[in-house]
Amino acid sequence: MTRLHLPLVPKPLRWLLVVSVASVVVYYSVFAPPGSGAMEMGPLGLFPYSNWLHVTAYVGLAGAVVYALYAPPRSSWYAVGGGFLVAFGYGVAIEFVQSTLPARTFAVGDMGLNALGAGAAAIVWLGLFHVARFYRLSAIDDVEPVVQ
């Protein structure tokens, strides 16, 4: 089986990605809710637009946290579990913040959607850890071909 070779950029850059994703999530969750209500259903017309936003936001956040936490030889379970818990906890915190805002609402269902997104990211990363080898990238010249 051919393994993918994927880079681990320096930790400060990985955490910068986490802060960036978390900032976008909190901005749209607290300050500027996305959409004007014109779009009621999400892609494929299966679920409401707001549900898609919750799931995709927390897939992105949990995925970024897993990438930031992954540090071989430490177990990949540490990164995956940490990514899920941090993303889910962040979503719970945002729901409590929303409960104090007149234009926003507290919803346990939103927490479930956040957990669904974080769980999906965790599952994808577990699969990725089985098919990929990560290597530390210290300079752009160190990039290896993805498939060798």
Side-chain angles (χ1 to χ4, degrees):
M1 176 177 164
T2 304
R3 291 184 63 104
L4 301 174
H5 294 258
L6 301 174
L8 281 174
V9 299
K11 270 204 179 274
L13 292 177
R14 290 187 266 161
W15 284 107
L16 179 62
L17 174 64
V18 171
V19 169
S20 299
V21 173
S23 298
V24 169
V25 170
V26 76
Y27 176 77
Y28 284 107
S29 297
V30 174
F31 301 110
S36 61
M39 185 176 203
E40 292 180 13
M41 296 302 286
L44 309 176
L46 299 175
F47 301 103
Y49 180 63
S50 63
N51 292 4
W52 283 98
L53 291 176
H54 276 277
V55 172
T56 56
Y58 286 87
V59 164
L61 181 59
V65 174
V66 172
Y67 184 61
L69 287 175
Y70 185 58
R74 190 183 302 157
S75 170
S76 59
W77 284 99
Y78 170 84
V80 170
F84 175 82
L85 290 174
V86 167
F88 178 65
Y90 191 74
V92 169
I94 286 177
E95 285 301 318
F96 279 103
V97 169
Q98 287 179 341
S99 72
T100 66
L101 303 173
R104 306 295 297 178
T105 59
F106 175 89
V108 174
D110 288 350
M111 288 185 213
L113 292 168
N114 300 345
L116 179 67
I123 290 168
V124 168
W125 271 99
L126 284 174
L128 190 57
F129 287 135
H130 286 309
V131 299
R133 180 186 68 82
F134 289 85
Y135 63 94
R136 296 193 191 283
L137 183 68
S138 56
I140 197 70
D141 294 337
D142 294 342
V143 175
E144 298 175 6
V146 174
V147 178
Q148 293 183 349

